[in-house]
Amino acid sequence: MTLIATEKTDARRTAVQSAGENPASATSPADSPSAAALNAGTGTVVPPAPSAPPSQPAPALKQAPAVTAQIPKPAPSEPEPSGAARTQAAPPPAFYTKDLSVFYGEKQAIKQVSMAFPDRQVVALIGPSGCGKSTFLRSLNRMNDLIPGASIEGEIWIGGHNICDPKTDVVRLRQKIGMVWQRPNPFHKSIYENVAFGPRYHGVKSKAALDELVEECLRKTALWDEVKDRLHQSGLALSGGQQQRLCIARSIAVKPDILLMDEPASALDPVSTAKVEELTAELKRDYTIVIVTHNMHQAARVSDKTAFFFLGDLVEYDETNKIFTNPSRKSTDDYISGRFG
Amino acid sequence: MKTKSVDRIMTGVIVGVGFLIIALLAALLGYLLIRGLGHVSWHFLTSPPESIRAGGGIGPQLFNSLFLLVLTMIITVPLGLGAGIYMSEYAKQNRLTAFIRLIVEVLSSFPSIVVGLFGLLVIVNRFGLGLSLMSGALALTVFNLPLMVRITEQALRAVPREQKEAGLALGLSRWRTITTVMLPISLPAIVTGTILAAGRVFGEAAALLFTAGMSSPRLDFTDWNPLHHTSPLNPFRPAETLAVHIWKVNSEGLAPDAAQIAAGASAVLIITVLVFNLGARWLGRVLYRKLTAGR
């Protein structure tokens, strides 16, 4: 815990505190900043003045009318607002969900979850197996569409678009949202090609530009020195940990804004896990990261905010520090202290 | 103790069955090759058959078999790949596709003589293609296509879901994900399946009796214009294949060396199938390595 506290800058700390607001009561602060964020792309926007955001509607607010129109129904598991955290406005969330429900056939796997994801921070989703955290993650880039019988209700607002809208161009959406899976899944191609494949498809044609991009991505994932002499060997020849970092390099090569990680270290040995965690901390300078993990120590180590899911409900969502030291809900406490799950 | 001895006995049985199959195969191959190879010579492979004199060859038949194979594959492979991709990636899982799948299975287990008669009535007579290579290729497509569809579908389904998702998550369209991520991975399985389908073309006789015919016109192997009547490449000429020739020589051959011709032709047929299989496997490996940067 102390590690997290020392790592954070003061600025971030204040930002986190206010962003730690539960999603429902933070709706109005979330609106105008998000509207502002969509004007200026991700993250580059200065947060609006700290004074009460609802009374000060940004002109861009019209762009997201559906959100302001109604007050979302409070999540069933809402913690009591913690008072102190409300004094400052949240920084613009990179994206947020509103009353998001996911169904597999008749079964409801996610129950009306509203969550705001602060820009360039790591949000960890924890909870026992089958609690819906992976489902939630996979609905953020509409990957759950691939599963027969899966359907989605509610809203996910990313960059001013509700991506649950059936008219959404999922292909373009997914380019903006990188994904990393539990088991490393490099393409059956060379190391170089694994990274260059996406950008080339999206229009980077010149060899020099591709070379540069590949090197940049591999450096960012701390893989360059390990593989620079064998770029044209198969990506499958790498070790599990290297493969996973290759997969991360592959996903950042298409310049996404958001990275979704579905238990990225659960199939790796401790050393590789540490590397992936380090990498996650590095990457949050450039990307908003959502990470699903079974490992609570990992959540505590890498994340700024933590959301506890249980049986499809978002039970508690707060600053990681708070969740792990002083959770508001009893079930969170029980889970974290290992009484179940 | 008991589990252990049962385990040992079952292992013995399974190994025994394995050896039995290998022995059977070896005996069959050996018999055909020993009987036939003595008769195989360059002359036998290249000269046309004789109807009443000894010393006839199987040149045109060998060529016809190969050409028919190519022709059938040209029709089957694109259709089979397309339908297989549709069935595995695009079609919804519902009653209709389940029905299509059932039909495909039934089609592939049709007795070949029935397909032959169907070909005679519909392709040869109704469509007026006559007894020709093209009719034969279309008839063979009837049972090669289902095989090809199922092979492609299964090969694509066997691709790990994460691979497909990785492609989609990079912002690739569905089509590009299939062609650039999934097909390369499933290529070895598809190539193997194609070989199986092709092997049937070589061996098929019954379906060709009524569609490709039992005679071969005099071929002029110096004329390669597909539009000429005597050109070997003309797909609209009747063409007796090797398998049909074996059947014909055995049942109604008048040449004094009919038995040797049949034996020799059988040996050649088997060797061709073997060479073709090995070649296609090698091709599949090379393609896979090229597409996936080796392993």
Side-chain angles (χ1 to χ4, degrees):
Chain A
M1 294 325 139
T2 49
L3 207 132
I4 301 167
T6 49
E7 261 177 12
K8 266 182 220 149
T9 63
D10 284 349
R12 169 147 284 155
R13 169 170 290 275
T14 50
V16 169
Q17 263 170 3
S18 44
E21 200 58 290
N22 60 71
S25 65
T27 309
S28 25
D31 287 342
S32 53
S34 69
L38 57 92
N39 278 342
T42 40
T44 48
V45 155
V46 183
S51 61
S55 63
Q56 198 188 26
L61 200 80
K62 323 183 193 61
Q63 290 196 12
V67 189
T68 45
Q70 56 185 113
I71 293 151
K73 171 172 168 267
S77 49
E78 189 123 332
E80 286 303 304
S82 49
R86 303 203 60 182
T87 50
Q88 274 176 312
F95 64 104
Y96 59 96
T97 68
K98 197 168 146 270
D99 291 342
L100 184 72
S101 298
V102 181
F103 299 85
Y104 292 123
E106 295 293 298
K107 189 177 166 282
Q108 186 167 10
I110 293 289
K111 296 169 188 162
Q112 298 190 307
V113 170
S114 300
M115 257 178 105
F117 294 83
D119 190 32
R120 301 192 207 199
Q121 291 195 11
V122 179
V123 173
L125 311 180
I126 61 169
S129 302
C131 69
K133 52 195 189 314
S134 282
T135 297
F136 181 76
L137 187 83
R138 290 167 53 85
S139 52
L140 294 178
N141 63 349
R142 300 270 307 269
M143 203 50 95
N144 253 12
D145 292 10
L146 298 183
I147 295 172
S151 60
I152 199 168
E153 270 173 25
E155 297 162 11
I156 302 170
W157 288 86
I158 297 178
H161 299 282
N162 175 13
I163 65 155
C164 295
D165 191 319
K167 287 192 294 257
T168 305
D169 180 354
V170 282
V171 172
R172 286 210 46 172
L173 166 76
R174 287 179 184 141
Q175 189 197 339
K176 287 283 154 207
I177 305 179
M179 192 163 190
V180 177
W181 284 258
Q182 182 171 1
R183 266 188 313 161
N185 59 344
F187 291 137
H188 295 209
K189 298 178 193 297
S190 70
I191 296 169
Y192 179 92
E193 202 51 38
N194 259 286
V195 183
F197 186 66
R200 187 186 293 124
Y201 174 74
H202 291 296
V204 183
K205 296 281 181 238
S206 104
K207 172 118 176 42
L210 276 176
D211 286 352
E212 201 176 305
L213 188 65
V214 169
E215 180 171 347
E216 182 197 327
C217 293
L218 289 175
R219 276 195 195 284
K220 267 191 188 167
T221 49
L223 205 56
W224 177 253
D225 289 327
E226 293 166 45
V227 301
K228 64 180 176 210
D229 301 324
R230 44 178 176 146
L231 285 178
H232 294 283
Q233 285 179 19
S234 170
L236 296 168
L238 297 173
S239 75
Q242 288 173 324
Q243 285 188 19
Q244 192 62 299
R245 280 181 285 148
L246 180 62
C247 292
I248 297 175
R250 172 180 70 188
S251 59
I252 63 178
V254 293
K255 308 212 180 300
D257 300 324
I258 300 164
L259 263 184
L260 306 178
M261 299 180 154
D262 193 353
E263 301 188 35
S266 67
L268 306 182
D269 63 272
V271 176
S272 304
T273 302
K275 279 188 181 163
V276 169
E277 285 179 10
E278 251 170 61
L279 189 56
T280 311
E282 289 272 309
L283 289 173
K284 80 173 177 188
R285 274 186 297 185
D286 299 316
Y287 310 97
T288 303
I289 297 176
V290 186
I291 182 169
V292 165
T293 178
H294 255 114
N295 180 336
M296 274 173 285
H297 296 290
Q298 187 172 67
R301 282 192 298 261
V302 302
S303 70
D304 299 295
K305 296 185 73 176
T306 297
F308 172 56
F309 278 77
F310 184 56
L311 300 176
D313 284 318
L314 174 61
V315 176
E316 186 166 358
Y317 178 38
D318 213 326
E319 212 187 325
T320 299
N321 236 342
K322 176 151 187 317
I323 292 265
F324 282 95
T325 51
N326 183 22
S328 317
R329 308 281 297 193
K330 181 154 187 317
S331 57
T332 313
D333 194 22
D334 287 349
Y335 180 67
I336 286 166
S337 51
R339 255 167 287 206
F340 76 99
Chain B
M1 240 6 238
K2 191 161 173 272
T3 7
K4 220 172 178 182
S5 52
V6 168
D7 186 58
R8 209 171 291 147
I9 291 168
M10 288 320 288
T11 310
V13 168
I14 287 163
V15 170
V17 170
F19 271 110
L20 189 72
I21 289 171
I22 292 172
L24 218 63
L25 196 70
L28 212 67
L29 264 179
Y31 176 73
L32 283 171
L33 290 181
I34 289 165
R35 263 194 63 200
L37 273 186
H39 199 71
V40 177
S41 63
W42 184 243
H43 174 78
F44 180 70
L45 287 179
T46 50
S47 56
E50 298 285 350
S51 40
I52 35 178
R53 278 180 299 151
I58 54 164
Q61 282 74 20
L62 187 57
F63 178 82
N64 287 343
S65 276
L66 290 170
F67 188 38
L68 186 64
L69 175 84
V70 172
L71 215 53
T72 309
M73 285 301 148
I74 287 176
I75 302 173
T76 311
V77 170
L79 285 176
L81 275 179
I85 290 172
Y86 172 76
M87 292 297 276
S88 110
E89 297 304 314
Y90 287 86
K92 290 209 166 63
Q93 305 291 334
N94 55 23
R95 284 241 183 99
L96 181 71
T97 47
F99 185 66
I100 293 178
R101 219 163 264 131
L102 181 74
I103 298 277
V104 165
E105 307 243 315
V106 170
L107 208 59
S108 68
S109 53
F110 251 38
S112 57
I113 190 77
V114 175
V115 174
L117 286 171
F118 169 82
L120 177 67
L121 290 175
V122 175
I123 303 170
V124 175
N125 292 339
R126 178 54 58 98
F127 293 170
L129 286 179
L131 291 174
S132 67
L133 275 166
M134 195 44 110
S135 305
L138 287 173
L140 288 178
T141 301
V142 170
F143 37 54
N144 261 357
L145 194 57
L147 204 61
M148 199 64 210
V149 173
R150 275 195 41 194
I151 287 158
T152 310
E153 186 185 351
Q154 277 168 5
L156 283 175
R157 274 185 202 284
V159 173
R161 200 182 69 189
E162 283 98 348
Q163 286 288 333
K164 180 175 160 188
E165 290 185 353
L168 292 173
L170 282 182
L172 267 65
S173 65
R174 185 149 66 155
W175 174 240
R176 293 292 292 184
T177 304
I178 293 168
T179 52
T180 56
V181 177
M182 301 176 69
L183 274 181
I185 296 173
S186 52
L187 196 70
I190 292 178
V191 168
T192 314
T194 314
I195 299 166
L196 285 177
R200 268 186 93 166
V201 176
F202 266 126
E204 188 52 56
L208 293 174
L209 292 176
F210 309 116
T211 52
M214 288 195 281
S215 63
S216 196
R218 284 241 157 249
L219 297 181
D220 177 5
F221 277 95
T222 54
D223 180 4
W224 294 100
N225 184 341
L227 299 176
H228 290 177
H229 272 296
T230 53
S231 162
L233 284 186
N234 183 351
F236 294 104
R237 64 178 172 85
E240 185 192 32
T241 65
L242 207 50
V244 173
H245 187 62
I246 293 170
W247 177 81
K248 194 173 93 176
V249 166
N250 254 331
S251 60
E252 52 192 52
L254 296 176
D257 57 350
Q260 283 98 312
I261 289 177
S266 307
V268 170
L269 189 61
I270 282 180
I271 290 171
T272 319
V273 170
L274 266 178
V275 166
F276 186 76
N277 275 14
L278 293 177
R281 250 162 238 266
W282 170 80
L283 183 74
R285 259 207 312 278
V286 168
L287 274 177
Y288 180 73
R289 209 170 297 153
K290 216 171 159 114
L291 288 169
T292 62
R295 186 68 129 127

